[in-house]
Amino acid sequence: MTRSFPDVRTIAGSESEGGSQPEIAAKDKLLASAATVLVESGVAALALIAEGKLLFVNRAFRRLFALQEGAGGTAFKTLLEPSDWEGVEDALTRAGQLSSPCLATGIRGDGSNFDLELCFSEVTYEGEILHAIFAQDITDRSQTSARLSLLAFSDPLTGLANRAQLADRLRQILLEFRHSSNKFAVLALDLDGFKPINDRYGHETGDFVLQRIGQRLEACVRDTDTVARFGGDEFEILLPHIKDRAHATLSAERLIEAVRQPINTGKHVMEVSVSIGIAMFPDHGNAADQLYAAADHALYAAKQNGRNQYSWATNPLPADSVPSLLTWNAIHELGIPEMDEQHAKLAVLLNNLGLALKNAEPHESILAEIIRFTSFHFATEDRLMNACDYKGAAHHRELHRQLLEDIRNLKPDDNEMGMSLVLRFLQDWLIRHVEGADRDLANTLLARRSATVAKQT
């Protein structure tokens, strides 16, 4: 038999105990008013259940689950995915305690699903304990969380994996392969001739080229392989479950052929090539740091031998040689004293971090100082860009944002991955950023200052 919901004023009045008559009357009035708002609400979804069945639902609850009028008597569990019911039932048993919201998948009357957050409490009426349910559709929140998770592990320009995702996959493969005879390869890739495209045609054209290159790289590998962009024109590819060197060599040849095909931007036809360094597990190392470094050394050899080719790592690098710390000298100076001094200090901080990690010493305070000083340095460059009305300011600031986000996400405690990620920052962050975006800014500043001096004389 379907039970009717009692008048909310009756429930409100039954909760008032003790105190003087005026106090009771005031509390009754307040409780009745609050209960009426909840019951009539079109926003807060409220239901009462007894013995697992709906006793009462308000308008918002009916709309949330697409229920028809007269839903009383419906089993509450039929509104949820069966696999979620055990967790919801457990939360119901703790409804009288202070507990966290319960997450579940709701099922609407039309059969569609949605992400649901449930809160439970107990209501006593005429000696019977009822369960009050507050329900909220959190589908948008879940989708936003999923998007943020995707962004955290993806390169925003190309949609490829980023360094964090590749590091995670490499760590998993190392754990899986370490006690087996399986092999895998790490390929370090660097585009040849990309910087002139960026300089001549602008970053929009350069970004288009990088996107097309990313698509071509993915088209050349298997679904089980991982293609990652490490920033700029540098990529990394992980090839698990390969039989021998011939397999990795064939992949490298396929990648080189795909990249060097002309790229039509709609306005221009671009041509770039790629140099590749290859390292094999366990031939060239059994740790991430060694494999990354071996592939990088092979990549530099391919560059020196004429580019547009691949090169194999020769011998395993001694463990003591990884990491190699950053060497900072006059060749990196830009001619802007303020920038040069801060770059030199960043180099010192990064070297301090590398040494601390290498020697298994505390490093948290060093990393915190790197983040603090990097923010200060970027603010300095921001001020200099404003002072000279720098045309590339928007792109430069975006690079700063991405770099600072990468630093904040750096996890040097991550066992195998810690030192390899630090090495990448030593190489990509400081050296590449200084030699690329910062040198362009410095040249603009120097030209502006020369023009000012010429006018004054």
Side-chain angles (χ1 to χ4, degrees):
M1 179 176 67
T2 302
R3 299 167 59 180
S4 61
F5 181 67
D7 187 274
V8 293
R9 289 184 294 266
T10 304
I11 292 181
S14 69
E15 295 293 325
S16 300
E17 297 180 0
S20 63
Q21 291 301 319
E23 290 173 339
I24 293 174
K27 184 183 284 188
D28 285 351
K29 185 175 181 180
L30 178 62
L31 288 172
S33 175
T36 301
V37 170
L38 288 173
V39 169
E40 300 299 329
S41 174
V43 178
L46 167 69
L48 290 180
I49 65 173
E51 299 175 355
K53 295 183 179 181
L54 294 177
L55 178 64
F56 165 83
V57 296
N58 69 354
R59 285 184 296 142
F61 195 94
R62 283 200 305 273
R63 185 169 63 248
L64 180 61
F65 285 91
L67 296 174
Q68 301 297 321
E69 293 279 357
T74 301
F76 176 57
K77 67 186 301 182
T78 62
L79 304 181
L80 308 172
E81 278 289 336
S83 58
D84 293 334
W85 176 243
E86 184 177 350
V88 173
E89 191 173 33
D90 178 64
L92 272 170
T93 63
R94 295 181 285 106
Q97 308 168 17
L98 183 63
S99 58
S100 301
C102 177
L103 302 181
T105 300
I107 302 177
R108 293 192 174 93
D110 59 7
S112 62
N113 293 349
F114 63 102
D115 295 323
L116 181 65
E117 182 179 88
L118 300 168
C119 293
F120 304 103
S121 63
E122 291 183 351
V123 177
T124 302
Y125 176 66
E126 293 184 350
E128 182 178 1
I129 296 178
L130 308 178
H131 286 120
I133 303 173
F134 292 89
Q136 183 180 5
D137 184 347
I138 60 168
T139 302
D140 289 343
R141 189 195 309 173
S142 299
Q143 290 174 345
T144 298
S145 177
R147 285 195 296 271
L148 290 175
S149 177
L150 179 62
L151 289 174
F153 289 95
S154 299
D155 172 56
L157 176 64
T158 63
L160 299 173
N162 63 7
R163 71 175 73 238
Q165 185 177 161
L166 185 75
D168 183 66
R169 292 186 179 176
L170 180 52
R171 179 173 58 248
Q172 293 176 17
I173 290 173
L174 280 168
L175 290 173
E176 178 186 349
F177 284 21
R178 184 153 290 163
H179 302 295
S180 74
S181 59
N182 292 327
K183 296 179 179 291
F184 68 85
V186 175
L187 278 60
L189 293 78
D190 193 83
L191 299 183
D192 310 316
F194 176 74
K195 190 175 184 301
I197 291 176
N198 239 6
D199 293 344
R200 180 177 179 182
Y201 300 103
H203 295 293
E204 186 176 347
T205 298
D207 288 348
F208 178 84
V209 171
L210 289 173
Q211 289 169 338
R212 290 301 304 272
I213 294 297
Q215 294 167 1
R216 292 179 179 183
L217 296 179
E218 277 205 307
C220 289
V221 301
R222 305 162 299 179
D223 291 340
T224 54
D225 302 332
T226 301
V227 181
R229 178 175 176 239
F230 271 21
D233 57 353
E234 184 181 0
F235 299 83
E236 204 93 7
I237 297 180
L238 180 60
L239 302 176
H241 301 287
I242 60 175
K243 295 180 179 179
D244 48 35
R245 288 194 175 203
H247 187 153
T249 297
L250 182 62
S251 295
E253 291 172 345
R254 188 183 301 119
L255 292 163
I256 290 170
E257 180 63 26
V259 169
R260 68 184 176 195
Q261 298 305 311
I263 298 174
N264 191 335
T265 68
K267 296 181 179 179
H268 309 281
V269 177
M270 307 293 175
E271 292 187 2
V272 296
S273 60
V274 65
S275 297
I276 302 177
I278 313 173
M280 176 85 80
F281 171 88
D283 301 0
H284 304 115
N286 56 12
D289 295 332
Q290 290 178 301
L291 291 167
Y292 275 143
D296 277 343
H297 277 256
L299 171 62
Y300 298 145
K303 289 278 192 183
Q304 292 173 353
N305 291 335
R307 305 172 184 260
N308 190 33
Q309 60 183 282
Y310 67 87
S311 178
W312 271 94
T314 52
N315 299 305
L317 294 176
D320 290 343
S321 70
V322 181
S324 56
L325 300 182
L326 178 64
T327 301
W328 190 263
N329 51 44
I331 65 171
H332 301 300
E333 293 183 355
L334 304 176
I336 306 297
E338 198 171 12
M339 293 174 67
D340 288 337
E341 290 171 7
Q342 293 181 13
H343 287 157
K345 182 172 179 178
L346 282 171
V348 171
L349 289 171
L350 288 169
N351 278 334
N352 289 344
L353 177 61
L355 285 170
L357 290 168
K358 183 177 181 181
N359 298 323
E361 297 172 347
H363 59 268
E364 291 77 11
S365 62
I366 303 175
L367 184 56
E369 175 62 13
I370 289 173
I371 294 172
R372 187 201 66 78
F373 192 78
T374 299
S375 299
F376 170 75
H377 170 61
F378 287 168
T380 298
E381 290 192 356
D382 197 53
R383 172 170 51 79
L384 293 172
M385 286 188 284
N386 289 335
C388 72
D389 194 25
Y390 181 52
K391 292 183 179 180
H395 178 71
H396 202 117
R397 291 189 181 104
E398 176 60 20
L399 289 177
H400 283 175
R401 186 195 66 77
Q402 293 177 359
L403 289 168
L404 192 56
E405 183 178 344
D406 276 349
I407 299 166
R408 286 172 173 156
N409 289 332
L410 185 62
K411 305 292 185 185
D413 285 326
D414 234 359
N415 299 326
E416 300 286 352
M417 308 315 303
M419 286 313 304
S420 59
L421 291 182
V422 172
L423 281 171
R424 287 296 174 177
F425 280 109
L426 294 179
Q427 175 184 332
D428 296 343
W429 171 31
L430 200 53
I431 298 293
R432 286 179 179 273
H433 188 65
V434 168
E435 291 301 324
D438 279 0
R439 189 169 292 280
D440 186 60
L441 170 60
N443 289 339
T444 301
L445 289 167
L446 291 171
R448 183 65 57 89
R449 293 179 185 181
S450 296
T452 301
V453 171
K455 287 182 179 179
Q456 293 174 346
T457 57

